[in-house]
Amino acid sequence: MTRLLKWERLALKGDFSAMPTPFVWDQSGRFAHFLNGYEVTGGMNPLADLALTMSAQARKTGKWEASALDLWLCLFFQHRAHRHTGSEGGDPNLDALCETLRLALNRLTPDEARSLASRLKQDAI
């Protein structure tokens, strides 16, 4: 098992305050997979529909707007898509997704953060 960074261990417990600032694509791979997007959304098709709709809207408006959970699901999908297509990061839009997610996570109430953390793969610790 890969040794997790301190901020990753805290995030798995629902404490997102130590995430890197800004949070960028190159830092987000392992983090994205703490949440199993397929399980949360009920499969590949619902996940793809959500992520592709969000991505299209972000390209159109220039900003990401969604709940912390939906942003994380989109990040998960983007990492899976990049892995399957063999494409690299380097897209400023993906950096913006990561930073928007970090901000959304840090706006959660303690109860909301605990609820979200309960969905994470705790065996990553």
Side-chain angles (χ1 to χ4, degrees):
M1 179 171 72
T2 303
R3 184 179 163 106
L4 298 178
L5 300 172
K6 181 179 180 179
W7 72 265
E8 292 171 319
R9 290 191 309 273
L10 289 170
L12 281 168
K13 296 175 184 174
D15 179 355
F16 306 104
S17 64
M19 290 177 69
T21 305
F23 187 46
V24 295
W25 176 260
D26 290 341
Q27 299 165 311
S28 69
R30 198 166 41 205
F31 179 81
H33 290 90
F34 289 170
L35 181 71
N36 184 327
Y38 303 125
E39 285 181 10
V40 173
T41 60
M44 175 60 177
N45 290 337
L47 176 63
D49 289 344
L50 172 73
L52 294 174
T53 299
M54 287 177 59
S55 296
Q57 184 67 20
R59 281 191 302 279
K60 181 178 175 183
T61 64
K63 60 185 173 181
W64 292 91
E65 295 181 299
S67 68
L69 177 59
D70 285 351
L71 290 164
W72 202 331
L73 290 167
C74 189
L75 180 64
F76 173 87
F77 178 84
Q78 292 293 339
H79 273 283
R80 301 305 299 161
H82 277 77
R83 180 173 182 218
H84 289 292
T85 62
S87 59
E88 296 293 321
D91 178 352
N93 199 38
L94 295 175
D95 286 339
L97 168 60
C98 294
E99 182 59 8
T100 303
L101 172 57
R102 183 190 69 79
L103 293 169
L105 290 169
N106 279 288
R107 283 192 300 268
L108 295 175
T109 67
D111 286 343
E112 291 169 332
R114 277 191 296 278
S115 176
L116 182 55
S118 72
R119 295 174 169 238
L120 304 180
K121 296 190 300 188
Q122 297 300 320
D123 59 348
I125 298 178

